[in-house]
Amino acid sequence: MRKIDGSSNYLSSQIRKYLSKAILSLLFSILLLTLTAYIIIFKTHVISIIEAALLIAALILLIPFRYCQYKYQIYKSGRQGEKTVIRTLTSKLNDEYYLMNGVYLKSGGGDIDHIVLGPTGIYVLETKNWSGKIICNDTQWQRPGKKITTNPSLQAKNNAQKIKRALDSSLFLRGHNIYVEGLIVFTNTHAKLSISNSIVPVLRIQQLSDYIKNQKSNSLTREQIQQIIKQIQIS
């Protein structure tokens, strides 16, 4: 399989951002706690209003630290999921297939995790590294007793439609009626999925390569695939 790195570094930038914020919050909290302890021990041995304020400020700073640490772990997990997809596909699909990673459309619409292009078609992947019990009914996603705010189904479908519109605008590809399919891929082996009536296919990482190889939605030549890649890169 041939890999093509895209222009998006969204996950990496979010990982760096929240890691930096977590470290800064923790350092300021430690600094204030140290200053408070110094004043109490070496000055009055009695907590005054100033010391109390410093102590409260130090404890309050632990709130953004925990939040940033939580967000850092989420984005780091997402990045690990994307690496799993790349590693799996590159080991199971031959050089007839191309894998575009971290695709950002200049025309707008956010970032796309992966796009697979090959003789069997074009597949836009929404990668999730979630664990635990996950329930999907149509476009509704939830965990037991808790609704999931992000909607992988709509993300995958909308991203596929964006790629489809970008390709329809190409003069070279006009008239080919190229079908683009959105897929949701779960990479975490600890995810317990209960899926019904999903508007897009939901696959585990172990199923992904076989699903792609066995589809017959398109019959694309190498020339068409290369032209499609160029069109996506300029869109």
Side-chain angles (χ1 to χ4, degrees), residues 10 70-71 74-75 113 126-130 134-143 146-156 158 184 186:
Y10 176 74
Y70 168 73
K71 296 291 284 186
I74 287 178
Y75 286 113
D113 296 338
E126 179 65 30
T127 301
K128 296 300 179 188
N129 196 29
W130 297 347
I134 300 162
I135 304 165
C136 170
N137 183 15
D138 194 29
T139 60
Q140 301 300 313
W141 288 78
Q142 63 182 29
R143 295 182 184 275
K146 181 182 179 182
K147 185 177 180 180
I148 297 175
T149 54
T150 57
N151 194 316
S153 300
L154 294 181
Q155 286 176 319
N158 291 339
I184 301 170
F186 280 87

Side-chain angles (χ1 to χ4, degrees), residues 50-234:
I50 295 177
E51 287 98 39
L54 288 172
L55 181 60
I56 292 172
L59 295 176
I60 289 175
L61 279 172
L62 291 177
I63 297 175
F65 163 71
R66 289 295 298 162
Y67 173 77
C68 291
Q69 183 187 45
Y70 168 73
K71 296 291 284 186
Y72 164 75
Q73 292 296 339
I74 287 178
Y75 286 113
K76 183 180 178 182
S77 175
R79 183 60 182 147
Q80 290 171 341
E82 291 190 358
K83 288 181 178 179
T84 300
V85 169
I86 294 171
R87 183 170 60 250
T88 300
L89 289 181
T90 53
S91 67
K92 293 184 178 294
L93 295 179
N94 61 33
D95 282 350
E96 291 183 297
Y97 292 87
Y98 293 77
L99 176 62
M100 301 181 72
N101 302 302
V103 178
Y104 177 79
L105 299 180
K106 300 181 181 68
S107 56
D111 302 88
I112 298 174
D113 296 338
H114 312 279
I115 301 175
V116 179
L117 308 97
T120 64
I122 303 171
Y123 307 91
V124 180
L125 311 185
E126 179 65 30
T127 301
K128 296 300 179 188
N129 196 29
W130 297 347
S131 61
K133 179 70 173 179
I134 300 162
I135 304 165
C136 170
N137 183 15
D138 194 29
T139 60
Q140 301 300 313
W141 288 78
Q142 63 182 29
R143 295 182 184 275
K146 181 182 179 182
K147 185 177 180 180
I148 297 175
T149 54
T150 57
N151 194 316
S153 300
L154 294 181
Q155 286 176 319
K157 185 174 182 178
N158 291 339
N159 284 339
Q161 290 175 341
K162 292 169 192 172
I163 295 300
K164 172 66 173 171
R165 287 194 295 269
L167 299 181
D168 286 344
S169 66
S170 170
L171 291 175
F172 180 86
L173 300 169
R174 189 164 295 173
H176 285 84
N177 192 28
I178 295 172
Y179 178 72
V180 181
E181 184 173 27
L183 305 175
I184 301 170
V185 184
F186 280 87
T187 58
N188 196 317
T189 57
H190 299 292
K192 299 178 181 179
L193 304 179
S194 176
I195 311 296
S196 59
N197 302 317
S198 175
I199 61 173
V200 296
V202 180
L203 306 172
R204 291 187 178 274
I205 186 63
Q206 299 91 334
Q207 302 170 302
L208 180 58
S209 58
D210 286 339
Y211 181 90
I212 290 172
K213 287 188 289 187
N214 293 331
Q215 297 306 299
K216 302 297 181 184
S217 54
N218 286 302
S219 180
L220 299 176
T221 66
R222 184 177 293 274
E223 182 184 16
Q224 286 174 324
I225 293 172
Q226 291 174 346
Q227 185 62 35
I228 289 169
I229 292 172
K230 291 178 182 177
Q231 183 65 27
I232 293 173
Q233 290 174 327
I234 66 174

